[in-house]
Structure formats: C-alpha cells, structure tokens
Amino acid sequence: MRISLDWLKTLIPTDKPAAEIGALLTGSGLEVESMEELESIPGGLRGVVLGTVLTCERHPDADKLSLTTVDVGDGTVRQIVCGAPNVAAGQRVVVALEGAELHPAQGEPFKIKKSKIRGAASEGMICAEDEIGLGTSHAGIMVLDTDLPNGTPAAEYFGLGSDTVYEIGLTPNRADAASHYGVARELRALLGQPCHLPDVSAFAAPESAAANVDVTIEDVEAAPRYAGLLLENVQVGPSPEWLQRRLRSIGLSPINNVVDVTNFVLHELGQPLHAFDADQITGNRIRVKRAEAGEKFVTLDGVERSLKAEDLVIADAHGTPMALAGVFGGKTSGVSEATTRVFLESAYFGPAAVRRSSQTHQLKTDASFRFERGTDPNMVPVALQRAALLLQEVAGATVAAPVVDEYPAPVPPATVHLRLPRVERLVGQYIAPERIRQILTDLDIDIDITEENLEKGDQATWLLTVPPHKVDVTREADVIEEILRIYGYNNVALRPNNSASFLAKFPNPDPEVTRVKIASLLSGQGFSEILTNSLTNSQYFEKDGEPEASLVRILNYNSIDLNVMRPTLLHSGLEIIRHNINRRQRDLKLYEFGKVYAQNENGKYQEKNKLVLYLTGNVTAETWQHKSDKAAFHDLAGAVQQVLAALGFGGAASQPVQHAYLAGGLTLLVHNQPLAQLGAVSASVLKKMDVSQPVWYAELDWDALSKKYKPTLTARELPKFPEVRRDLSLVVDASVTFDQLQQIARKTEKKLLQSINVFDVYAGENLGAGKKSYSVSFTLQDYGQTLSEQAIDQVMQKLIQQFEKQAGALIRK
C-alpha cells in the first residue's frame, strides 16, 4: 500500500521529518518497506533561481547572441551568454546556476558548466520553459512578473513541491489502516495530536425529488448497508492537475474525473465507491441480491463471466446484474464520456461474500482488497458526501435527489472487558492507567467503568466500546496489543535477569545445528542456498489434464499460480534456475532445505522436510589453464556422498532410481531405507518449466537423516603400517553394477579391506555381447602389523572366488 506524505498532511498536519514518521509507523506495526522521493518535475529545479538581467548587449562575435549580466541575489554579478531573441535589460528571469542539472521537455538531462561561447565567458543559463521541463515552448526565455527577491528558488516560485511516498506492508489484520485517513488515525495516537476528516459540511441535498433511484437490499447479511446519491449535469472529462498528481503519487493512472474521484476517496478514507451511469439503471431501481447460477455478466474489462449462486450482485429492477458487489463493475452500466447522470454507490458489504466472489472469478481490485478485510460501516455516508462535493468541483455535478441510505441492521461496536492487571502481565511492564486511557481514547475506543464494578470498588476493570473499523479488536488480548503498539515495543525494558518457570527439552542432536553444519559444507563447495515459496501451481503436477489427487489445495488462494502446497521442491527450484538462465547466469550450484506437503488416501495432511541440490551448466569457471567441464552425474553424486559422510552415513547401497521427475539415476539406501534420490531431471519436466539446459537434481530425506544422525565422533590412532594396493580386471554381464561388486567385497573381507575404487570401465566387441569390464583397485591394511604377501594373496583369492561365484565374473589376466 502506498501512502503520500503530502496527502497525509492534509489530514494530520505535522512538521515531523519523513524518516521519523516512517520509523513511528514501522514501530506501531505498519511496516514501511520503502520510502520514495517524488518530484513534480525531474530534478526538482535544484540550482535554478530567479534573477534580474542588469545589462544586455550584442555579442561582439555573433549576431544572434547577447552578452548579459545577471544578478541572482548572492552578491556576485554573473556574465551569461544568451541566444534568446526576447532577452532585455530589466527582465526578471529564471537562471540555472553552475552545477544545476536540467531535465528538458525533450532530450537528455544536462549539467550547467562554466564555458566560453564565441570567446565570451558564460556563467550559467537564462532558461526557456522547455529547457527546465515546464512546457514545450522554445520561442524565448521566460520573463516573469514577480516581486520575489533575486535568488529565490524557482521551485518555490512555480509551486513545485516534493513528496515522500511510503510503501507500507499492510498485514491482513490492519484493515483499519488501509487508507490515508487510517494512517492519520495511527499517527494521532503516536504523536498525540489531532487528525481530522475532510470537511463535508458544505454538502447539501434536496429534501425530495421527482425521480430518485430506489434501493432494495435482498440479502441483509451480505450487504448490511447500502447508500447512494443521484447526481446530474455531470461533465465527464480529464481531472484537474492536483487530482491527477495525487493519484499518480500512489501509483494510479488517471482515467476521467468521475472515476478518479471514486479512486481518490477510496485511498483517502478507505471506503470503496462505485459510479453507475444512472440512465442505464433500468426501472430506476437497484436490487442488492444474489445472482442466478450460470447467469452471464460482462465486467468492465470486457470479459464475460458465469456467475455463481453465492455471488452478490448489484442488479436493476429486472434483476440484471450491473456490478459484482464490492469487486468489479459491469461494462454496460459504467461511466462513459456520454454520461451526464451518475448514481454514486457507497456501501458496506460482508467480507465473506466479497472474498468468495473475488476468489471465484480471480478478480483482485482495490475495493475487494478492503471489503475482504472489513471496512467501516460508519464511513459510508461520509465518503458519499466527500465524493459528491469533489464531483461538484471537478465535474460540475449537481445533487439531484436525497441520499438513499438503507441500513436495516446496524453493525454494533464490539464490547470488551479490560483488566488493568492483565495489561501489566501480558506486556511485562507497568503502564500507568492515565497513559492507557490516553492511548485508547486516541484509538477511538470508548472507556466506561461498569456500575457493578463501582459497587464492588473495582476500578481496575474497564468496559470498552471498540468502533467497527477496528475489525481485528474483539478480545482483551487484542486491546492489550493495541496498547502495546502505541506505547512502543522498544519502551518495554528487558529485565536484568530473565527467567522461565520451566526448562524446555532440547533435542540431541539439535536439528538447527545439524542443518547449519550441512549448509556450511555445501556453501564451502560453491553451492548457493535458495529459499522458495511453499505455495506453487497445481498445473505443474497434472497428468492427462488432471492434477494429482494428493495435492494439498489452498481454499482461499490469491493467485492461480499459488494454489497448492508444494509436493516437491523441484519445480520451485527450477523456477529459480529458469530466472537465472534467462539473465545469462547459466552455471548454477544450488541447495535448499524445505518442507513438502501431501494428502494421503484418508484425507490426512502430511509434511516432510527435504534437502535438495541442483547442478546445471559448467561445474567450474573456465580459466586459461583448462576449460570447464559440464556438470555431470558424478559431480552431484560426490556432493551427496559428502553430505551423507558428514552425517555419518558411509557406504550407502544404491539401486536404480524410481522418481516421477527424474530420467535415470540412483537411489541411495542405508539399512535398506532410501535416504537420497539423484539423477537428471526429465526432459518433459524441463520443457514444462521452460528450462533450456540439463539439470541434475538430488533429493534427500532430511527427516530420516536428522533422526538417524548421531553427532558422536570415534577417533582412532593413525596406522603405523603401510597400506597395499592390488588391482583386478573383472569381466561381468552388462547388468552387473559396481555397487554389487562393492557389496560382495565388503561382505567377503571385513577386516583388511579399507577401500574399493573403480578406475576404468570398458565395453567392446572383443569382450562379447552384453559384457563389460571393470578395473578395480583394492586397498588393504592391517592396523596391527605389516601385511605379508601370503596374507594379501589369501584375501585376493577369496575376493576372486566370490566375484566368480556371486557375480559370474571372469578375471582378466
């Protein structure tokens, strides 16, 4: 949400610096995410002042140039060469001093420097209106009629002010602050000074009219209050500059004066409005009702929509929808250039009804944003009067009929009992009752002490009346939060010795410590950690056009792209990879810790923690010594093995991977439990995600790894006796894997065999069809003595026998 400080000051005058106001708002829970300085024209005319031309003579070396002297109020008379035909002595002019940066109406900005023009020194520039961005005329310099002293900033003369715009990260519970007036109310409590609503005392409407629009509310629960006003003689056209400037300051584009006024009031008071072309209201009657199921309705964006029976609509006398209540207007009833009669709507719609329609039709508007969170029913008539006065000013409108205000079931304020001792207990610090009373009063919360409590002599319990615009304040704890927000979290002192009434059980090993350990390991290998959204797009997981049944769906999603909880981390990681590849960052090593979500056959939800790794592009940067190699499976497998080794899971067995999104790879098992799956992402997934290069992916079961991990270290003395290496070349069937050979060797010799490594694989015609050859090295070592040739030969013979017996190996000699 964008808030203009200049606009805000019309509601709560203050001379506080912009940064201080931003800090106050952030401290109270309205987090200012950014501050932006806006200028009426680029550069703000800094370094441009008013001056007087003292003398003007023809340039001795140029017929079309004049040599002038100019007083700019600093005691130094400047010589300036000017090419304007209308320059003359005695004129009040606009002068750009040395160092000023000008932003002309056309062309690039330029800076004023001391220079020589045809041999004559020039110490500035006398400006035309196009040269400083104030217009397009270049017929001559600007000649002013003013008594302001020389040296007066030109921005002050032209009334060009700057503005600060805050970007506020509005949380869903702070609907009361979704407007400039809402923020002004917050500042009233923070600064202890009054704020005020716009003056609507000049509003007047006739007591009766020959023809007014009749309003009937047919669903009071979904539309507790509906008000409207008929305006005539409306002249639809462009808005005045001040109104356009206000809207642009918060990122809105002006449309026409009628629509602009409704947008202006929405962002000023937080009350959405809608303008109907009154001549399009059939039967001069408005019905606020539920739609007919399957009824067609064309919205302002030209899209035909099929309505649901639960949609609340604004319909005419025949029941034909003219607007989707609180969300979007209809194309046929909207204001156009031909409109002269306008019916202005100001209403309070139930949040649930608006939210349902907004989600169903995927329409997110400024109006639905506010209605979904809860607006102020008491602001309905104020906003209507404010808009009417503005339309009288900017569109020549006249009020043609009395205000129609249907409010059959007024929304009552909430009542809350506040116990002062409870405030101290929850805040952790004593706050004087006088200060609490002041805070609550500034927040429009009325205070009373019940007669029952007075009879008991209990003045520590207050009965509070909370206004309807405080939609999130319904309990005692909510009131205490309001008190603490304004009192200031930073004003709650920390005790010198904090204590707790119990000691939490700390897991061993600590999962966070384990996670940091592995994160440090991967980062040290050149991987970068990423953090992706837990929400993703269900279309990623469609099979034959139907999404997977196990998906955890979001019932109230804000975007079709974020409508399910992710069942895997792969696709959100591929989005990151695609984003980087599209920006020519092609060599990526990424990892992420995150949760995945699923729904089992019984409808129960499950969530699991995963660690995933991604490799794509070149594995290392290219240097003058050697070219870089493309990332390969074994680069990823090496990283996974290091993670497993760091967690104490050495010697993991492997089997071919069975993963929905991988085209080949391995599953690593420890005690027959799969702990990791790794391989190449399938081409179909890469195509769906629009990733243009191969990606290697590994997925580790972090829950299982954390549960089985034991951080104890076992140390032993370094061996004193040498190790021995022996090599074998084994011819086996093509289906036999090195992992199978490794398992055979480990089971055959458990004492002396320290490591096994394959250093060559060969397959050729001379071996025979369906055969391949592994060249394998075996490292043997005895920690108690030097190995004899006899002992080495015995071990190798046992290994050969078992390879021949269990794997059908032929030993090449």
mmCIF file of all heavy atoms in Angstrom, residues 384-422:
data_model
loop_
_atom_site.group_PDB
_atom_site.id
_atom_site.type_symbol
_atom_site.label_atom_id
_atom_site.label_comp_id
_atom_site.label_asym_id
_atom_site.label_seq_id
_atom_site.Cartn_x
_atom_site.Cartn_y
_atom_site.Cartn_z
ATOM 1 N N LEU A 384 -19.599 9.245 0.752
ATOM 2 C CA LEU A 384 -20.547 9.655 -0.276
ATOM 3 C C LEU A 384 -20.605 11.177 -0.394
ATOM 4 O O LEU A 384 -20.586 11.739 -1.498
ATOM 5 C CB LEU A 384 -21.931 9.092 0.062
ATOM 6 C CG LEU A 384 -22.957 9.014 -1.071
ATOM 7 C CD1 LEU A 384 -22.462 8.137 -2.206
ATOM 8 C CD2 LEU A 384 -24.279 8.505 -0.531
ATOM 9 N N GLN A 385 -20.660 11.851 0.734
ATOM 10 C CA GLN A 385 -20.711 13.317 0.729
ATOM 11 C C GLN A 385 -19.395 13.905 0.211
ATOM 12 O O GLN A 385 -19.395 14.876 -0.546
ATOM 13 C CB GLN A 385 -21.002 13.827 2.139
ATOM 14 C CG GLN A 385 -22.381 13.441 2.654
ATOM 15 C CD GLN A 385 -22.567 13.766 4.126
ATOM 16 O OE1 GLN A 385 -21.810 14.531 4.707
ATOM 17 N NE2 GLN A 385 -23.584 13.173 4.736
ATOM 18 N N ARG A 386 -18.285 13.306 0.620
ATOM 19 C CA ARG A 386 -16.970 13.781 0.158
ATOM 20 C C ARG A 386 -16.871 13.677 -1.364
ATOM 21 O O ARG A 386 -16.444 14.625 -2.042
ATOM 22 C CB ARG A 386 -15.871 12.954 0.818
ATOM 23 C CG ARG A 386 -14.456 13.194 0.305
ATOM 24 C CD ARG A 386 -13.949 14.561 0.613
ATOM 25 N NE ARG A 386 -12.502 14.658 0.438
ATOM 26 C CZ ARG A 386 -11.837 15.779 0.245
ATOM 27 N NH1 ARG A 386 -12.499 16.948 0.191
ATOM 28 N NH2 ARG A 386 -10.526 15.786 0.123
ATOM 29 N N ALA A 387 -17.293 12.542 -1.913
ATOM 30 C CA ALA A 387 -17.221 12.349 -3.362
ATOM 31 C C ALA A 387 -18.156 13.312 -4.083
ATOM 32 O O ALA A 387 -17.806 13.853 -5.143
ATOM 33 C CB ALA A 387 -17.564 10.905 -3.708
ATOM 34 N N ALA A 388 -19.344 13.548 -3.527
ATOM 35 C CA ALA A 388 -20.295 14.461 -4.172
ATOM 36 C C ALA A 388 -19.728 15.875 -4.255
ATOM 37 O O ALA A 388 -19.840 16.551 -5.287
ATOM 38 C CB ALA A 388 -21.612 14.456 -3.403
ATOM 39 N N LEU A 389 -19.103 16.337 -3.171
ATOM 40 C CA LEU A 389 -18.515 17.680 -3.178
ATOM 41 C C LEU A 389 -17.384 17.774 -4.195
ATOM 42 O O LEU A 389 -17.240 18.796 -4.889
ATOM 43 C CB LEU A 389 -18.010 18.034 -1.777
ATOM 44 C CG LEU A 389 -19.094 18.278 -0.722
ATOM 45 C CD1 LEU A 389 -18.470 18.409 0.667
ATOM 46 C CD2 LEU A 389 -19.886 19.540 -1.047
ATOM 47 N N LEU A 390 -16.580 16.723 -4.303
ATOM 48 C CA LEU A 390 -15.485 16.740 -5.273
ATOM 49 C C LEU A 390 -16.012 16.728 -6.702
ATOM 50 O O LEU A 390 -15.472 17.413 -7.578
ATOM 51 C CB LEU A 390 -14.564 15.535 -5.038
ATOM 52 C CG LEU A 390 -13.689 15.599 -3.790
ATOM 53 C CD1 LEU A 390 -12.980 14.268 -3.549
ATOM 54 C CD2 LEU A 390 -12.656 16.718 -3.886
ATOM 55 N N LEU A 391 -17.062 15.964 -6.955
ATOM 56 C CA LEU A 391 -17.621 15.934 -8.301
ATOM 57 C C LEU A 391 -18.289 17.255 -8.659
ATOM 58 O O LEU A 391 -18.307 17.658 -9.828
ATOM 59 C CB LEU A 391 -18.619 14.783 -8.421
ATOM 60 C CG LEU A 391 -17.986 13.384 -8.487
ATOM 61 C CD1 LEU A 391 -19.042 12.299 -8.432
ATOM 62 C CD2 LEU A 391 -17.140 13.235 -9.748
ATOM 63 N N GLN A 392 -18.812 17.945 -7.665
ATOM 64 C CA GLN A 392 -19.319 19.298 -7.934
ATOM 65 C C GLN A 392 -18.176 20.218 -8.360
ATOM 66 O O GLN A 392 -18.327 21.059 -9.244
ATOM 67 C CB GLN A 392 -20.004 19.855 -6.675
ATOM 68 C CG GLN A 392 -21.345 19.217 -6.368
ATOM 69 C CD GLN A 392 -21.957 19.735 -5.082
ATOM 70 O OE1 GLN A 392 -21.248 20.209 -4.179
ATOM 71 N NE2 GLN A 392 -23.270 19.659 -4.967
ATOM 72 N N GLU A 393 -17.010 20.011 -7.761
ATOM 73 C CA GLU A 393 -15.851 20.856 -8.053
ATOM 74 C C GLU A 393 -15.203 20.524 -9.387
ATOM 75 O O GLU A 393 -14.874 21.426 -10.164
ATOM 76 C CB GLU A 393 -14.814 20.695 -6.931
ATOM 77 C CG GLU A 393 -13.522 21.455 -7.151
ATOM 78 C CD GLU A 393 -12.468 21.147 -6.101
ATOM 79 O OE1 GLU A 393 -12.830 20.621 -5.035
ATOM 80 O OE2 GLU A 393 -11.277 21.429 -6.352
ATOM 81 N N VAL A 394 -15.022 19.242 -9.681
ATOM 82 C CA VAL A 394 -14.214 18.870 -10.850
ATOM 83 C C VAL A 394 -15.052 18.451 -12.058
ATOM 84 O O VAL A 394 -14.513 18.333 -13.161
ATOM 85 C CB VAL A 394 -13.232 17.723 -10.489
ATOM 86 C CG1 VAL A 394 -12.379 18.098 -9.314
ATOM 87 C CG2 VAL A 394 -13.974 16.411 -10.217
ATOM 88 N N ALA A 395 -16.359 18.191 -11.855
ATOM 89 C CA ALA A 395 -17.187 17.744 -12.974
ATOM 90 C C ALA A 395 -18.467 18.550 -13.116
ATOM 91 O O ALA A 395 -19.314 18.204 -13.947
ATOM 92 C CB ALA A 395 -17.520 16.256 -12.804
ATOM 93 N N GLY A 396 -18.637 19.609 -12.321
ATOM 94 C CA GLY A 396 -19.820 20.454 -12.435
ATOM 95 C C GLY A 396 -21.102 19.772 -12.042
ATOM 96 O O GLY A 396 -22.199 20.194 -12.441
ATOM 97 N N ALA A 397 -21.043 18.677 -11.253
ATOM 98 C CA ALA A 397 -22.228 17.907 -10.905
ATOM 99 C C ALA A 397 -23.131 18.674 -9.947
ATOM 100 O O ALA A 397 -22.667 19.525 -9.176
ATOM 101 C CB ALA A 397 -21.816 16.574 -10.281
ATOM 102 N N THR A 398 -24.404 18.343 -9.987
ATOM 103 C CA THR A 398 -25.371 18.875 -9.023
ATOM 104 C C THR A 398 -26.083 17.699 -8.365
ATOM 105 O O THR A 398 -26.335 16.660 -9.001
ATOM 106 C CB THR A 398 -26.420 19.767 -9.706
ATOM 107 O OG1 THR A 398 -27.072 19.019 -10.738
ATOM 108 C CG2 THR A 398 -25.762 20.998 -10.302
ATOM 109 N N VAL A 399 -26.355 17.843 -7.069
ATOM 110 C CA VAL A 399 -27.060 16.794 -6.329
ATOM 111 C C VAL A 399 -28.535 16.870 -6.694
ATOM 112 O O VAL A 399 -29.193 17.891 -6.467
ATOM 113 C CB VAL A 399 -26.862 16.962 -4.815
ATOM 114 C CG1 VAL A 399 -27.613 15.874 -4.063
ATOM 115 C CG2 VAL A 399 -25.371 16.925 -4.477
ATOM 116 N N ALA A 400 -29.077 15.787 -7.261
ATOM 117 C CA ALA A 400 -30.424 15.817 -7.832
ATOM 118 C C ALA A 400 -31.481 15.219 -6.936
ATOM 119 O O ALA A 400 -32.679 15.363 -7.210
ATOM 120 C CB ALA A 400 -30.429 15.075 -9.173
ATOM 121 N N ALA A 401 -31.083 14.516 -5.864
ATOM 122 C CA ALA A 401 -32.070 13.826 -5.032
ATOM 123 C C ALA A 401 -31.483 13.596 -3.647
ATOM 124 O O ALA A 401 -30.261 13.707 -3.451
ATOM 125 C CB ALA A 401 -32.450 12.500 -5.680
ATOM 126 N N PRO A 402 -32.334 13.277 -2.667
ATOM 127 C CA PRO A 402 -31.830 12.978 -1.326
ATOM 128 C C PRO A 402 -30.940 11.739 -1.333
ATOM 129 O O PRO A 402 -31.032 10.891 -2.228
ATOM 130 C CB PRO A 402 -33.105 12.726 -0.505
ATOM 131 C CG PRO A 402 -34.211 13.295 -1.307
ATOM 132 C CD PRO A 402 -33.804 13.195 -2.743
ATOM 133 N N VAL A 403 -30.104 11.642 -0.314
ATOM 134 C CA VAL A 403 -29.268 10.452 -0.152
ATOM 135 C C VAL A 403 -30.154 9.256 0.176
ATOM 136 O O VAL A 403 -31.037 9.329 1.028
ATOM 137 C CB VAL A 403 -28.227 10.667 0.965
ATOM 138 C CG1 VAL A 403 -27.483 9.365 1.256
ATOM 139 C CG2 VAL A 403 -27.256 11.763 0.593
ATOM 140 N N VAL A 404 -29.917 8.154 -0.520
ATOM 141 C CA VAL A 404 -30.594 6.897 -0.210
ATOM 142 C C VAL A 404 -29.664 6.102 0.695
ATOM 143 O O VAL A 404 -28.517 5.826 0.319
ATOM 144 C CB VAL A 404 -30.895 6.091 -1.490
ATOM 145 C CG1 VAL A 404 -31.576 4.771 -1.140
ATOM 146 C CG2 VAL A 404 -31.736 6.903 -2.442
ATOM 147 N N ASP A 405 -30.101 5.760 1.897
ATOM 148 C CA ASP A 405 -29.248 5.050 2.848
ATOM 149 C C ASP A 405 -30.042 3.939 3.511
ATOM 150 O O ASP A 405 -30.794 4.162 4.458
ATOM 151 C CB ASP A 405 -28.703 6.024 3.896
ATOM 152 C CG ASP A 405 -27.589 5.396 4.753
ATOM 153 O OD1 ASP A 405 -27.279 4.207 4.540
ATOM 154 O OD2 ASP A 405 -27.043 6.096 5.623
ATOM 155 N N GLU A 406 -29.878 2.726 3.005
ATOM 156 C CA GLU A 406 -30.556 1.564 3.565
ATOM 157 C C GLU A 406 -29.621 0.875 4.555
ATOM 158 O O GLU A 406 -28.558 0.382 4.174
ATOM 159 C CB GLU A 406 -30.953 0.600 2.448
ATOM 160 C CG GLU A 406 -32.008 1.134 1.508
ATOM 161 C CD GLU A 406 -33.331 1.365 2.211
ATOM 162 O OE1 GLU A 406 -33.734 0.508 3.026
ATOM 163 O OE2 GLU A 406 -33.961 2.420 1.964
ATOM 164 N N TYR A 407 -30.044 0.865 5.837
ATOM 165 C CA TYR A 407 -29.202 0.300 6.899
ATOM 166 C C TYR A 407 -30.121 -0.426 7.882
ATOM 167 O O TYR A 407 -30.297 0.000 9.025
ATOM 168 C CB TYR A 407 -28.432 1.423 7.574
ATOM 169 C CG TYR A 407 -27.224 1.005 8.390
ATOM 170 C CD1 TYR A 407 -26.683 -0.265 8.318
ATOM 171 C CD2 TYR A 407 -26.606 1.933 9.243
ATOM 172 C CE1 TYR A 407 -25.574 -0.619 9.054
ATOM 173 C CE2 TYR A 407 -25.496 1.590 9.993
ATOM 174 C CZ TYR A 407 -24.981 0.311 9.895
ATOM 175 O OH TYR A 407 -23.874 -0.035 10.635
ATOM 176 N N PRO A 408 -30.710 -1.541 7.444
ATOM 177 C CA PRO A 408 -31.735 -2.196 8.266
ATOM 178 C C PRO A 408 -31.207 -2.822 9.551
ATOM 179 O O PRO A 408 -31.938 -2.912 10.536
ATOM 180 C CB PRO A 408 -32.300 -3.267 7.327
ATOM 181 C CG PRO A 408 -31.212 -3.524 6.337
ATOM 182 C CD PRO A 408 -30.517 -2.213 6.150
ATOM 183 N N ALA A 409 -29.970 -3.261 9.549
ATOM 184 C CA ALA A 409 -29.416 -3.916 10.743
ATOM 185 C C ALA A 409 -28.060 -3.308 11.045
ATOM 186 O O ALA A 409 -27.022 -3.820 10.613
ATOM 187 C CB ALA A 409 -29.293 -5.425 10.503
ATOM 188 N N PRO A 410 -28.019 -2.182 11.775
ATOM 189 C CA PRO A 410 -26.745 -1.508 12.058
ATOM 190 C C PRO A 410 -25.719 -2.450 12.701
ATOM 191 O O PRO A 410 -26.072 -3.282 13.550
ATOM 192 C CB PRO A 410 -27.155 -0.387 13.017
ATOM 193 C CG PRO A 410 -28.590 -0.126 12.702
ATOM 194 C CD PRO A 410 -29.169 -1.464 12.340
ATOM 195 N N VAL A 411 -24.483 -2.306 12.259
ATOM 196 C CA VAL A 411 -23.386 -3.110 12.799
ATOM 197 C C VAL A 411 -23.001 -2.550 14.163
ATOM 198 O O VAL A 411 -22.568 -1.394 14.259
ATOM 199 C CB VAL A 411 -22.168 -3.098 11.856
ATOM 200 C CG1 VAL A 411 -21.021 -3.912 12.451
ATOM 201 C CG2 VAL A 411 -22.557 -3.635 10.484
ATOM 202 N N PRO A 412 -23.144 -3.332 15.240
ATOM 203 C CA PRO A 412 -22.848 -2.798 16.575
ATOM 204 C C PRO A 412 -21.352 -2.769 16.834
ATOM 205 O O PRO A 412 -20.599 -3.580 16.276
ATOM 206 C CB PRO A 412 -23.545 -3.792 17.509
ATOM 207 C CG PRO A 412 -23.492 -5.089 16.752
ATOM 208 C CD PRO A 412 -23.615 -4.731 15.294
ATOM 209 N N PRO A 413 -20.894 -1.854 17.687
ATOM 210 C CA PRO A 413 -19.486 -1.877 18.086
ATOM 211 C C PRO A 413 -19.221 -3.070 19.007
ATOM 212 O O PRO A 413 -20.142 -3.579 19.654
ATOM 213 C CB PRO A 413 -19.303 -0.549 18.822
ATOM 214 C CG PRO A 413 -20.678 -0.215 19.323
ATOM 215 C CD PRO A 413 -21.640 -0.745 18.306
ATOM 216 N N ALA A 414 -17.986 -3.510 19.042
ATOM 217 C CA ALA A 414 -17.622 -4.618 19.927
ATOM 218 C C ALA A 414 -17.433 -4.096 21.349
ATOM 219 O O ALA A 414 -17.027 -2.946 21.554
ATOM 220 C CB ALA A 414 -16.328 -5.272 19.439
ATOM 221 N N THR A 415 -17.763 -4.916 22.317
ATOM 222 C CA THR A 415 -17.540 -4.562 23.723
ATOM 223 C C THR A 415 -16.548 -5.551 24.328
ATOM 224 O O THR A 415 -16.654 -6.768 24.114
ATOM 225 C CB THR A 415 -18.847 -4.592 24.521
ATOM 226 O OG1 THR A 415 -19.461 -5.883 24.385
ATOM 227 C CG2 THR A 415 -19.807 -3.525 24.017
ATOM 228 N N VAL A 416 -15.580 -5.016 25.038
ATOM 229 C CA VAL A 416 -14.504 -5.832 25.607
ATOM 230 C C VAL A 416 -14.249 -5.375 27.034
ATOM 231 O O VAL A 416 -14.213 -4.165 27.306
ATOM 232 C CB VAL A 416 -13.198 -5.699 24.786
ATOM 233 C CG1 VAL A 416 -12.080 -6.524 25.412
ATOM 234 C CG2 VAL A 416 -13.421 -6.115 23.340
ATOM 235 N N HIS A 417 -14.082 -6.327 27.950
ATOM 236 C CA HIS A 417 -13.681 -6.003 29.315
ATOM 237 C C HIS A 417 -12.161 -6.028 29.406
ATOM 238 O O HIS A 417 -11.527 -7.015 29.013
ATOM 239 C CB HIS A 417 -14.274 -7.001 30.319
ATOM 240 C CG HIS A 417 -15.744 -6.786 30.571
ATOM 241 N ND1 HIS A 417 -16.726 -7.371 29.799
ATOM 242 C CD2 HIS A 417 -16.387 -6.026 31.505
ATOM 243 C CE1 HIS A 417 -17.911 -7.000 30.239
ATOM 244 N NE2 HIS A 417 -17.743 -6.184 31.276
ATOM 245 N N LEU A 418 -11.596 -4.944 29.897
ATOM 246 C CA LEU A 418 -10.140 -4.837 30.040
ATOM 247 C C LEU A 418 -9.786 -4.779 31.518
ATOM 248 O O LEU A 418 -10.239 -3.895 32.251
ATOM 249 C CB LEU A 418 -9.615 -3.584 29.335
ATOM 250 C CG LEU A 418 -8.113 -3.319 29.488
ATOM 251 C CD1 LEU A 418 -7.302 -4.397 28.776
ATOM 252 C CD2 LEU A 418 -7.737 -1.943 28.960
ATOM 253 N N ARG A 419 -8.941 -5.726 31.941
ATOM 254 C CA ARG A 419 -8.441 -5.746 33.322
ATOM 255 C C ARG A 419 -7.038 -5.151 33.329
ATOM 256 O O ARG A 419 -6.142 -5.682 32.671
ATOM 257 C CB ARG A 419 -8.427 -7.174 33.855
ATOM 258 C CG ARG A 419 -9.822 -7.816 33.969
ATOM 259 C CD ARG A 419 -9.718 -9.324 34.100
ATOM 260 N NE ARG A 419 -9.286 -9.939 32.851
ATOM 261 C CZ ARG A 419 -9.068 -11.249 32.724
ATOM 262 N NH1 ARG A 419 -9.227 -12.063 33.762
ATOM 263 N NH2 ARG A 419 -8.680 -11.735 31.566
ATOM 264 N N LEU A 420 -6.868 -4.084 34.050
ATOM 265 C CA LEU A 420 -5.570 -3.395 34.057
ATOM 266 C C LEU A 420 -4.434 -4.296 34.527
ATOM 267 O O LEU A 420 -3.328 -4.232 33.976
ATOM 268 C CB LEU A 420 -5.659 -2.125 34.896
ATOM 269 C CG LEU A 420 -6.621 -1.042 34.376
ATOM 270 C CD1 LEU A 420 -6.486 0.222 35.214
ATOM 271 C CD2 LEU A 420 -6.362 -0.722 32.917
ATOM 272 N N PRO A 421 -4.634 -5.136 35.578
ATOM 273 C CA PRO A 421 -3.527 -6.042 35.946
ATOM 274 C C PRO A 421 -3.136 -6.987 34.809
ATOM 275 O O PRO A 421 -1.979 -7.378 34.686
ATOM 276 C CB PRO A 421 -4.094 -6.825 37.142
ATOM 277 C CG PRO A 421 -5.142 -5.936 37.717
ATOM 278 C CD PRO A 421 -5.749 -5.249 36.534
ATOM 279 N N ARG A 422 -4.117 -7.313 33.979
ATOM 280 C CA ARG A 422 -3.830 -8.185 32.838
ATOM 281 C C ARG A 422 -2.923 -7.490 31.836
ATOM 282 O O ARG A 422 -2.089 -8.125 31.181
ATOM 283 C CB ARG A 422 -5.152 -8.579 32.165
ATOM 284 C CG ARG A 422 -5.027 -9.562 31.020
ATOM 285 C CD ARG A 422 -4.714 -10.944 31.495
ATOM 286 N NE ARG A 422 -4.800 -11.910 30.407
ATOM 287 C CZ ARG A 422 -4.414 -13.166 30.511
ATOM 288 N NH1 ARG A 422 -3.911 -13.601 31.668
ATOM 289 N NH2 ARG A 422 -4.516 -13.983 29.491
#
